[in-house]
């Protein structure tokens, strides 16, 4: 036993230190990912997402129609896929790409479909077109000569736009349009629509959205779905990370705080070995402790607390005499005593629970009643003891 106890103690200490180190590493990893790694949401309009705002359903429909959909998650992959032949480039807004890069990437494709219209991309790709308001979500007729929109008939609309020079607008709402398209000098088209209102898994079954999506995206046998990543940013155009936005003193302060935490853990968590039981030089007898507590109650003139101590001890003995459990409430003990003696319950409850002494005389009388009650119960339970 003397050898096993220190071994278990050292084992628990080692497990505690291991848990502390793992916790600190986890906190450092999560904090570092937020400060230096940033966060990018991939669910919205992501071609491989099955969530409500994903677009996997329209990708599956295009593949069932015989089209080949290539998902490119960086610029180099998109350029390689576009170099293989005529293809339709589908992309979200890419604020990290410069105007020249956006134009150059669009020139590599036969058709360009922008599914998240923003002011800069509209101005660059569609001759100065601008954003407008929002529709009320009702179905609108195409009312234009663009074949993909005309074949869809009526479709739901979302964000509206104002066309620039030589730009055709479809699905008109109060002078603005939900779809813009323009022919490019080198051939092909550039089309812009609100993908959240037409292409997502939740909106695709509504009205003519599916027909419009297949018509706009399926103009070639190959569709390159480009999902821009922060690594594609042109120098100086990437949005600043949280680490770049924080003052220079934040990182040293975090390191200092971690070092202080480790130092405090070492200081407060050190142990000098197993605990040792030390024998006291003096043994205090129980009756002396009781007498000392009684003198304290007497000097404070607290008859109520003194009677509570007497009642507690008396109830404990009565519980053993009557065969009750240690957790039996005081009122139930009093009821059991009254039933055993055939006495009035209110009187027994007063003796064991309710009566409150105010003077020393009352305390002495209550103690006498407790003693007599306990003696009566003992005589009722063990009648042979009364002859002694």
């Amino acid at each position: 036993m003397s050898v096993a106890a220190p071994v278990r103690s050292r084992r628990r200490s080692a497990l505690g230190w291991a848990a502390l180190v793992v916790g600190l590493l986890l906190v450092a990893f999560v904090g570092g990912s937020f400060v230096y790694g940033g966060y990018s949401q991939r669910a919205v309009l992501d071609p491989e997402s099955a969530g409500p705002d994903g677009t996997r359903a329209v990708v599956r429909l295009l593949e069932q129609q015989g089209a080949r959909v290539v998902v490119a998650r960086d610029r180099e992959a998109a350029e390689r896929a576009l170099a293989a032949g005529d293809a339709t480039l589908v992309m979200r807004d890419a604020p990290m790409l410069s105007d020249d890069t956006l134009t150059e990437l669009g020139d590599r494709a036969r058709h360009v479909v922008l599914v998240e219209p923003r002011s800069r991309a509209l101005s660059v790709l569609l001759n100065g077109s601008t954003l407008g308001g929002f529709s009320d979500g009702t179905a609108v007729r195409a009312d234009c000569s663009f074949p993909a929109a005309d074949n869809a008939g009526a479709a739901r609309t979302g964000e509206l736009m104002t066309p620039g020079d030589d730009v055709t607008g479809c699905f008109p709402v109060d002078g603005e349009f939900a779809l813009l398209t323009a022919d490019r000098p080198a051939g092909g088209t550039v089309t812009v629509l609100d993908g959240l209102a037409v292409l997502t898994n939740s909106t695709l079954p509504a009205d003519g959205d599916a027909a419009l999506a297949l018509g706009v995206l399926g103009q070639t046998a190959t569709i390159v779905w480009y999902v821009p990543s922060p690594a594609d940013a042109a120098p100086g155009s990437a949005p600043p990370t949280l680490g770049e936005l924080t003052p220079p003193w934040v990182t040293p302060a975090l390191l200092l705080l971690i070092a202080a935490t480790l130092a405090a853990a070492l200081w407060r968590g050190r142990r000098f070995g197993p605990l040792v039981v030390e024998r006291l030089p003096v043994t205090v007898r129980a009756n002396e402790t009781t007498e000392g507590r009684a003198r304290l109650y007497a000097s404070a003139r607290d008859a109520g607390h003194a009677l509570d101590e007497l009642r507690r001890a008396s109830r404990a003995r009565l519980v053993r005499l009557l065969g009750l459990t240690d957790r039996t409430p005081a009122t139930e003990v009093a009821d059991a005593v009254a039933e055993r003696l055939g006495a009035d319950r209110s009187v027994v409850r007063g003796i064991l629970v309710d009566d409150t002494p105010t003077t020393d005389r009352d305390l002495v009388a209550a103690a006498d009643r407790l003693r007599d009650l306990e003696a009566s119960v003992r005589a009722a339970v063990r009648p042979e003891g009364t002859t002694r």
Side-chain angles (χ1 to χ4, degrees):
M1 295 295 290
S2 61
V3 176
V7 171
R8 286 196 298 268
S9 178
R10 288 195 295 270
R11 186 177 302 169
R12 286 195 298 267
S13 178
L15 291 176
W17 281 111
L20 177 62
V21 172
V22 171
L24 290 175
L25 290 177
L26 181 61
V27 170
F29 174 75
V30 174
S33 64
F34 273 105
V35 173
Y36 298 105
Y39 170 73
S40 59
Q41 185 177 10
R42 292 178 53 181
V44 177
L45 295 176
D46 191 282
E48 295 179 343
S49 172
D53 293 332
T55 55
R56 190 170 72 176
V58 70
V59 171
R60 294 294 181 266
L61 288 177
L62 289 169
E63 291 175 342
Q64 291 175 5
Q65 296 294 325
R68 174 174 170 264
V69 180
V70 179
V71 179
R73 297 197 176 273
D74 57 71
R75 180 183 170 186
E76 293 183 358
E79 291 177 349
R80 287 195 302 269
L82 292 172
D86 287 347
T88 299
L89 174 63
V90 182
M91 62 181 296
R92 294 178 53 185
D93 181 62
M96 73 285 295
L97 300 180
S98 64
D99 294 354
D100 294 338
T101 303
L102 190 63
T103 303
E104 179 184 352
L105 189 62
D107 290 341
R108 295 174 180 267
R110 179 69 177 176
H111 302 283
V112 178
V113 180
L114 187 65
V115 297
E116 190 181 18
R118 292 294 182 265
S119 297
R120 184 179 70 93
L122 286 174
S123 178
V124 173
L125 298 177
L126 282 175
N127 301 329
S129 300
T130 58
L131 289 175
F134 288 87
S135 67
D136 56 4
T138 59
V140 180
R141 300 292 302 179
D143 195 18
C144 67
S145 59
F146 183 49
D150 187 52
N151 293 335
R156 296 288 180 94
T157 58
E159 196 166 10
L160 302 175
M161 296 160 284
T162 301
D165 298 336
D166 300 325
V167 177
T168 301
C170 300
F171 303 100
V173 178
D174 298 332
E176 298 175 332
F177 301 89
L179 182 147
L180 299 182
T181 184
D183 295 328
R184 297 194 300 178
T189 59
V190 177
T191 306
V192 182
L193 75 163
D194 185 3
L196 289 174
V198 178
L199 303 180
T200 62
N201 299 326
S202 59
T203 61
L204 191 64
D207 299 307
D209 286 2
L212 177 61
L214 294 177
V216 172
L217 302 181
Q219 300 181 64
T220 58
T222 301
I223 297 102
V224 178
W225 201 302
Y226 172 41
V227 182
S229 69
D232 298 337
S237 63
T241 63
L242 182 60
E244 295 172 347
L245 293 175
T246 53
W249 55 265
V250 171
T251 299
L254 288 176
L255 295 176
L256 181 60
L257 181 61
I258 292 174
T261 303
L262 290 174
L266 291 172
W267 170 51
R268 300 297 297 176
R270 60 183 180 177
R271 291 284 298 274
F272 295 98
L275 298 177
V276 178
V277 178
E278 182 180 359
R279 296 182 59 184
L280 293 176
V282 177
T283 301
V284 181
R285 295 180 180 179
N287 61 342
E288 294 181 3
T289 304
T290 304
E291 291 176 0
R293 185 177 298 177
R295 293 191 187 95
L296 289 175
Y297 287 142
S299 62
R301 297 183 181 277
D302 193 350
H305 279 87
L307 182 59
D308 287 341
E309 292 295 328
L310 295 176
R311 281 172 173 168
R312 187 178 294 109
S314 180
R315 285 197 300 266
R317 290 189 292 271
L318 290 172
V319 163
R320 289 193 294 270
L321 287 172
L322 297 175
L324 303 176
T325 63
D326 294 338
R327 297 184 179 180
T328 304
T331 55
E332 294 184 9
V333 174
D335 293 342
V337 170
E339 183 178 357
R340 184 70 178 184
L341 298 178
D344 187 359
R345 291 192 175 187
S346 61
V347 174
V348 176
R349 283 197 176 189
I351 296 174
L352 289 176
V353 180
D354 297 331
D355 291 346
T356 303
T358 57
T359 63
D360 292 343
R361 185 185 298 275
D362 295 338
L363 176 61
V364 172
D368 291 340
R369 288 193 294 271
L370 277 174
R371 181 189 59 206
D372 295 341
L373 182 65
E374 188 176 344
S376 299
V377 172
R378 185 176 290 106
V381 174
R382 302 172 182 172
E384 68 278 2
T386 59
T387 60
R388 298 180 181 177

